[in-house]
Amino acid sequence: MIINTVAGNDNHSRFTDFFQPFLIDESNVKGNFIRLGQAMDVILSRHDYPDSVSRLLAEQAVLACMLSGNLDDGGSLTVQVKGAQQDDAIRGPVGFTVIDVKENGDIRGYADLAPDALTRIRELEKTQEEISLKDLIGEAGFLAITITPAADTQQYQGIVALSGDTLAQAVEEYFTQSEQLQVSIKVSVGKIAEGGKHKWYASGMMIQRVPDLGGKAEKVKLEDDGEDWNRSRILMNTVKNEELLNPTLSPQTLLVRLFNEDGVWVYEPKQLQVNCRCSRERIEDVLGNFPDEDIEEMKHDGVISVSCQFCNKTEVFRDDDIARIRQNAVE
Ligand SMILES: [Zn+2]
């Protein structure tokens, strides 16, 4: 059973940058399917990270989108991955990585690298075939999920240790620990040749066993419910990496392929796009409100430079800009 086949399709033949929620028919299993194409490539091509770092950030972006399904209007969610904070711990070449997702589908992210990161990662690449999460992040890494609601209700933060090999495992653990929910996650990241270039794609599918969705729930015996879950989990895990990533394969086609036997319902998909909160206007507003002596202190070589790590972009304000901003602020 499939409804809606329009959104999530950016030009009628390509299906990328979507969040597609779904429901397995007559069961207590729901899920979502995410594929990032253009958005992933924009985030990663703004920076020149080694491939192992790009992969980590891409996997994190998919997981952050998966977690963003229940955000309130105007709410946002941040996923951070960090190594140990203790002084004696072995630190990885990656200080931390961060991905923000807003309820409207805006995403942004970057990796903070140690000054010697590139040399260290190149050394690792010479000696080992695969670079692990621990190689990048160092000892005792953890994943922090922060949910910021739009209203001034409290922020929520959940932290889970990176004890497994992948970020996806940590997110599965997060669900079991914090929400007592069983989830199963599959993530795939890769480059696809397009127009003479290799572009980054990242995709993932998550299903979760929810307590009660109504419908069949009241009629189902508990042992049947467990069977539904196991079956959905097995079916989802038959998905191939190339099916997850393939931008010409529509989300609906893939979901039917996987769960056809049980039937699958899809909800309206959500579009995902790269969008940062920084802007020259916003910086001008801030600069307009600083006392004169602070403005003087912020100047280096006669100009104020303000950088956005997410966009890897620097806005420069010269004396005449600053005079105009301060004049406007007074008026
Ligand atoms: Zn920015």
Side-chain angles (χ1 to χ4, degrees):
M1 257 168 286
I2 285 294
I3 44 170
N4 191 315
T5 53
V6 186
N9 177 354
D10 55 5
N11 62 11
H12 304 288
S13 62
R14 305 189 66 72
F15 305 86
T16 67
D17 302 312
F18 61 78
F19 173 97
Q20 174 65 73
F22 63 89
L23 186 66
I24 308 298
D25 198 26
E26 298 201 354
S27 75
N28 286 344
V29 180
K30 65 173 190 172
N32 58 62
F33 171 30
I34 285 127
R35 186 184 292 137
L36 293 166
Q38 178 71 10
M40 200 69 256
D41 203 60
V42 166
I43 290 177
L44 295 176
S45 59
R46 279 175 179 172
H47 307 268
D48 198 13
Y49 301 132
D51 278 5
S52 53
V53 176
S54 292
R55 280 180 182 280
L56 171 64
L57 202 59
E59 185 177 352
Q60 193 176 337
V62 170
L63 293 167
C65 292
M66 278 178 181
L67 289 160
S68 74
N70 295 327
L71 287 175
D72 302 337
D73 264 5
S76 66
L77 177 142
T78 301
V79 176
Q80 262 191 300
V81 173
K82 259 187 196 169
Q85 301 300 290
Q86 303 94 307
D87 283 339
D88 54 350
I90 298 168
R91 307 240 171 138
V94 178
F96 65 87
T97 51
V98 60
I99 295 282
D100 277 344
V101 186
K102 275 167 75 174
E103 172 272 331
N104 66 0
D106 283 354
I107 59 174
R108 61 177 191 168
Y110 75 95
D112 178 76
L113 302 184
D116 60 350
L118 297 184
T119 327
R120 286 173 71 184
I121 292 170
R122 258 183 234 123
E123 278 307 310
L124 288 169
E125 282 167 351
K126 276 187 215 158
T127 50
Q128 40 197 88
E129 204 143 297
E130 269 190 40
I131 296 180
S132 71
L133 184 55
K134 203 171 173 180
D135 288 333
L136 294 174
I137 290 293
E139 278 183 355
F142 62 91
L143 180 133
I145 296 158
T146 311
I147 296 167
T148 311
D152 26 59
T153 40
Q154 258 203 312
Q155 244 191 8
Y156 164 85
Q157 189 173 60
I159 289 178
V160 53
L162 295 174
S163 45
D165 294 331
T166 65
L167 294 184
Q169 282 170 8
V171 172
E172 284 178 347
E173 218 153 278
Y174 163 80
F175 274 100
T176 332
Q177 276 175 21
S178 68
E179 307 199 23
Q180 310 284 308
L181 282 178
Q182 282 177 285
V183 306
S184 183
I185 293 175
K186 193 142 180 190
V187 177
S188 184
V189 174
K191 284 191 211 175
I192 297 178
E194 246 168 50
K197 276 170 64 179
H198 282 87
K199 292 199 169 163
W200 284 103
Y201 278 85
S203 178
M205 201 178 278
M206 170 171 93
I207 52 167
Q208 63 188 96
R209 186 179 176 186
V210 288
D212 186 4
L213 285 171
K216 192 188 172 192
E218 63 262 33
K219 292 179 250 153
V220 172
K221 289 181 200 156
L222 269 176
E223 58 264 39
D224 291 342
D225 184 30
E227 228 165 78
D228 279 352
W229 166 247
N230 283 332
R231 214 155 79 122
S232 302
R233 204 160 48 91
I234 291 164
L235 290 174
M236 189 196 79
N237 281 287
T238 62
V239 73
K240 298 183 185 78
N241 287 333
E242 51 271 32
E243 288 176 311
L244 286 173
L245 295 175
N246 180 358
T248 63
L249 183 60
S250 83
Q252 293 83 7
T253 308
L254 181 55
L255 289 170
V256 169
R257 197 182 280 178
L258 292 171
F259 302 109
N260 186 36
E261 243 175 82
D262 294 334
V264 54
W265 292 85
V266 292
Y267 299 92
E268 184 75 28
K270 188 164 74 180
Q271 196 77 42
L272 302 167
Q273 61 277 324
V274 181
N275 215 342
C276 193
R277 286 156 229 177
C278 73
S279 74
R280 195 169 168 93
E281 291 71 40
R282 191 173 281 194
I283 305 168
E284 289 192 3
D285 286 347
V286 175
L287 290 178
N289 290 317
F290 273 114
D292 284 336
E293 55 269 33
D294 288 3
I295 289 287
E296 284 312 311
E297 257 178 47
M298 288 161 83
K299 280 187 191 172
H300 289 280
D301 300 325
V303 299
I304 295 179
S305 307
V306 182
S307 301
C308 176
Q309 304 273 40
F310 288 96
C311 304
N312 198 20
K313 194 174 75 179
T314 302
E315 293 287 348
V316 175
F317 299 89
R318 293 171 208 292
D319 275 338
D320 50 340
D321 296 318
I322 296 165
R324 175 182 49 83
I325 293 164
R326 318 250 340 134
Q327 186 58 36
N328 291 343
V330 172
E331 276 164 6

